[in-house]
Amino acid sequence: MVRAWLAARQRPILTQSFNIFEYTFAMPLSLDALTVIDAIDRRGSFAAAAVELDRVPSAITYTVRRLEDELDVLLFDRRGHRARLTSAGRLLLDDGRRLLTAADEIERRVQRVASGWETELRVAVDTLVPFARVLPLAASFFVECRARDAAHTRLKFSHEVLGGAWDALADGRADLVLGAPGDPPPGGGYRLRLMAEATMIFAVAPSHPLAAAKEPLTESQIAAYRAVAAADSSRRMAPRSAGLLAGQDTLTVPDIGTKLAAQVAGLGCGFLPAFLAAADVAAGRLVIKAVEPPRAPVRLHAAWREARPGRALAWWIAAVTQTDWRFLALGPTPATTAATQPTARRRAAVTSAASRR
């Protein structure tokens, strides 16, 4: 196959004594082609990739067919409604994604060296962190950019769930993550700031059978009922889960806000951040139940990997460090504690939770 490809591109040049073959290489594999294949694989169809890349569908099809012709391999299995990579296509994309990441990093480093300010800063926010609390930081950042004549730095936010924030950081899709829960993945190189420890409560709707059950609830009792779980948004790493029991029926939803709504609707049970459920608990739309064993608070981190961050990332690190995130630890006292403590000690527990960062 390689010989045939070379033969098609060789052009003889006649001299007095011998022939010299000049090879003109028109490299079929380009960063643009890899970008197209990556978008098709993530979005599941040529049409969806065209929307993401702001191109007409015919341009996407032409790019893929040209690459397949040049390489003499089939990259996509086009049977069915979803475009699926062949084994050859998967190998190409797995290696190609590393090239795309490297090329993007080279571009960003060059631009950073030239001005000190990144052209784009990508911030992944876990859905445990209310996005409305992040927007004031964005507003302040834009003011700083104008004051420093660095208005060309673009912000790109994304939402992640469970291990998705760590995955985005490890995979190079984010420069900074906010609210990354738990411990970072193996491999090291992560720089952390603890934002808060989010208190977790087990809650059900008043109409749910567990609402009237004797406390504390055991794992065997909980496992008999459907759990509502937010789907981990990781692309490369193994997905994480939290609060699910073996064999338990599960309703999977896209984010923590939808999980809250599903539990208020009585569609299942599960753990929720106390601050997020506080309004529904106060209004009687959710009932907190003591469980055994109790759920430990979830440590939420701001994290990045750059040892020498550019000026935009450095600004965000400083701003996040100075922001008061203690509201993430607020909310009703977990029922596992409240059910067994006198009123005075319960108040002390709430005060203690409010003072933790």
Side-chain angles (χ1 to χ4, degrees):
M1 183 178 70
V2 175
R3 290 179 180 176
W5 186 74
L6 289 173
R9 286 161 176 73
Q10 64 184 17
R11 176 164 53 87
I13 301 177
L14 297 179
T15 67
Q16 290 183 344
S17 57
F18 55 90
N19 291 339
I20 299 176
F21 288 93
E22 178 185 289
Y23 295 95
T24 58
F25 292 91
M27 180 63 72
L29 189 58
S30 65
L31 295 178
D32 180 71
L34 289 173
T35 300
V36 169
I37 295 171
D38 173 68
I40 296 171
D41 180 61
R42 287 186 293 99
R43 296 300 183 182
S45 71
F46 285 48
V51 172
E52 177 180 312
L53 299 176
D54 194 23
R55 305 183 190 182
V56 295
S58 59
I60 301 296
T61 302
Y62 173 77
T63 299
V64 174
R65 285 182 176 172
R66 180 181 178 184
L67 184 57
E68 288 179 327
D69 291 341
E70 293 282 0
L71 297 177
D72 196 21
V73 296
L74 189 65
L75 299 176
F76 285 96
D77 182 350
R78 293 170 175 81
R79 295 173 296 181
H81 297 291
R82 184 179 179 87
R84 299 185 181 277
L85 287 166
T86 62
S87 56
R90 176 58 60 190
L91 175 63
L92 175 69
L93 182 55
D94 286 346
D95 289 344
R97 279 175 170 156
R98 286 191 282 272
L99 291 176
L100 289 174
T101 300
D104 180 66
E105 183 61 24
I106 290 172
E107 179 182 355
R108 291 164 61 81
R109 286 180 178 176
V110 169
Q111 292 166 340
R112 189 188 310 159
V113 168
S115 67
W117 289 88
E118 300 90 325
T119 56
E120 180 180 76
L121 189 72
R122 301 159 301 174
V123 182
V125 183
D126 189 278
T127 57
L128 285 173
V129 178
F131 199 75
R133 298 293 189 119
V134 180
L135 292 178
L137 296 180
S140 297
F141 175 72
F142 291 139
V143 171
E144 177 72 9
C145 285
R146 286 193 294 271
R148 302 289 183 178
D149 193 25
H152 61 279
T153 299
R154 301 183 301 271
L155 280 181
K156 183 178 181 181
F157 287 107
S158 62
H159 258 151
E160 301 291 346
V161 183
L162 288 176
W166 294 116
D167 182 84
L169 191 60
D171 194 37
R173 301 193 311 274
D175 305 299
L176 174 70
V177 296
L178 302 180
D183 297 324
Y190 301 97
R191 291 163 172 80
L192 310 179
R193 292 285 188 277
L194 179 63
M195 296 171 62
E197 294 184 352
T199 304
M200 305 300 290
I201 58 170
F202 187 87
V204 294
S207 59
H208 194 280
L210 288 176
K214 184 178 179 180
E215 300 176 275
L217 302 178
T218 64
E219 289 187 346
S220 59
Q221 285 178 288
I222 296 171
Y225 296 94
R226 181 187 306 111
V228 182
D232 190 296
S233 60
S234 297
R235 297 184 189 176
R236 307 291 178 83
M237 297 179 180
R240 300 183 182 187
S241 62
L244 298 180
L245 301 172
Q248 189 175 21
D249 182 25
T250 306
L251 168 63
T252 303
V253 296
D255 54 52
I256 195 68
T258 310
K259 173 177 163 65
L260 172 64
Q263 290 183 217
V264 169
L267 299 180
C269 59
F271 289 93
L272 290 164
F275 78 89
L276 185 66
D280 290 299
V281 170
R285 293 186 291 268
L286 283 176
V287 177
I288 302 176
K289 301 295 291 183
V291 296
E292 187 62 40
R295 176 84 179 273
V298 177
R299 295 169 65 86
L300 303 179
H301 299 94
W304 65 98
R305 302 195 74 173
E306 284 288 345
R308 297 179 179 178
R311 296 175 68 178
L313 177 56
W315 185 95
W316 272 86
I317 292 170
V320 169
T321 301
Q322 295 165 13
T323 299
D324 186 354
W325 301 101
R326 286 179 295 177
F327 72 91
L328 294 170
L330 300 180
T333 305
T336 50
T337 302
T340 58
Q341 291 181 339
T343 302
R345 291 180 63 193
R346 274 185 235 170
R347 289 179 185 147
V350 173
T351 303
S352 175
S355 66
R356 291 197 304 266
R357 290 191 66 92

